[in-house]
Amino acid sequence: MNCENKKTVRRIVLLVRHGDSRQDHLKRYVGHTDNPLNERGIAQAEALHRELAAIPFSRFYCSDLQRSVETARFIAGDRSCDVVPVAALREIFMGSWDGRSMDEVRTAFPDEYRRRGEDPAHHTAPGGESFADLGKRVIPAFEEIVRNDRGPLLIIGHAGVNRVILSQLLGMPLENLFRLGQDYGCANIIVEEKGVFKVQALNLGADAGIGSILNALLKP
């Protein structure tokens, strides 16, 4: 199936979180740690592929981490449109905490762990990024994508990346970004009309009828 633009009054951006990539049962800080999808993550990406098969996306954008690239390629399937990795869409870098379990970090860095909990927007893990830092690279990348491509677009990001984008669109302080649910393999529907972006739906699973919602939005 070719990915072809259709003339619509609305422009649609589907912002997806990659599928599950956990490699064990521990809660970890997984930022630039480059894990592949696990079996559940592959199933989530395949379910999104089936749900979105009829949507005429112009292009697929993703971060260059393999869990995002793999999700994009599973969803794209045999479509002829491009899958474009964008390094600026990488997940937040957690520095010396990256890949380590939360329990390990809590024990090894008790003061730093506490300060991050008190100020998640601006606190930086040793050698890493804050969410404010993340926004400085993610928001310009998102704006460039939507400025240069008329869509419909599909962007496969990460939990932190998506929350930063959604917080910006909602005019919500970054301090509250963890109030936005972003499950593995979820989709967020963003609609642009006359230059104004609106978050139409948040944290939808593949079984939530995403394809039907998008088809209705794409009608003139």
Side-chain angles (χ1 to χ4, degrees):
M1 173 180 173
N2 290 332
C3 296
E4 300 175 350
N5 284 321
K6 291 183 178 180
K7 291 183 179 180
T8 59
V9 176
R10 303 180 183 92
R11 184 158 58 137
I12 307 299
V13 179
L14 191 68
L15 180 64
V16 171
R17 185 186 179 190
H18 62 79
D20 196 338
S21 59
R22 292 171 292 185
Q23 303 299 302
D24 57 32
H25 67 284
L26 298 177
K27 291 185 177 180
R28 296 182 179 275
Y29 291 104
V30 182
H32 289 192
T33 302
D34 204 8
N35 292 334
L37 296 179
N38 59 31
E39 289 185 8
R40 180 170 179 262
I42 291 171
Q44 290 167 333
E46 290 176 335
L48 285 169
H49 165 74
R50 293 189 295 271
E51 179 64 21
L52 301 173
I55 306 302
F57 292 109
S58 64
R59 197 165 281 111
F60 292 79
Y61 293 91
C62 57
S63 97
D64 61 351
L65 295 172
Q66 61 179 323
R67 57 192 185 272
S68 180
V69 174
E70 288 178 353
T71 301
R73 289 177 175 163
F74 274 112
I75 297 173
D78 59 359
R79 298 178 189 233
S80 62
C81 57
D82 296 330
V83 172
V84 183
V86 179
L89 294 177
R90 282 188 178 194
E91 181 61 292
I92 186 171
F93 181 46
M94 295 302 297
S96 61
W97 296 4
D98 219 307
R100 300 172 77 169
S101 73
M102 291 185 181
D103 286 342
E104 180 184 359
V105 167
R106 186 187 297 111
T107 300
F109 304 90
D111 293 336
E112 293 287 337
Y113 180 87
R114 175 182 54 78
R115 284 197 288 270
R116 187 170 191 269
E118 292 171 350
D119 186 12
H122 300 102
H123 184 269
T124 303
E129 294 176 303
S130 68
F131 282 105
D133 295 328
L134 178 63
K136 290 176 183 177
R137 63 174 167 86
V138 166
I139 298 303
F142 175 80
E143 290 176 344
E144 181 177 2
I145 288 169
V146 298
R147 181 171 60 246
N148 295 331
D149 202 317
R150 294 305 303 169
L153 300 175
L154 194 148
I155 301 174
I156 296 91
H158 301 266
V161 169
N162 293 4
R163 286 178 172 127
V164 165
I165 292 171
L166 293 167
S167 294
Q168 174 80 5
L169 296 178
L170 291 166
M172 190 179 83
L174 276 180
E175 286 79 5
N176 298 333
L177 87 170
F178 285 115
R179 297 182 185 181
L180 299 172
Q182 285 296 283
D183 298 331
Y184 288 110
C186 76
N188 309 279
I189 300 173
I190 300 165
V191 178
E192 181 257 333
E193 293 185 90
K194 299 180 180 179
V196 177
F197 285 89
K198 178 173 69 174
V199 178
Q200 187 80 17
L202 282 168
N203 202 32
L204 299 177
D207 59 352
I210 303 168
S212 297
I213 297 170
L214 293 179
N215 276 319
L217 290 170
L218 287 168
K219 290 179 180 178

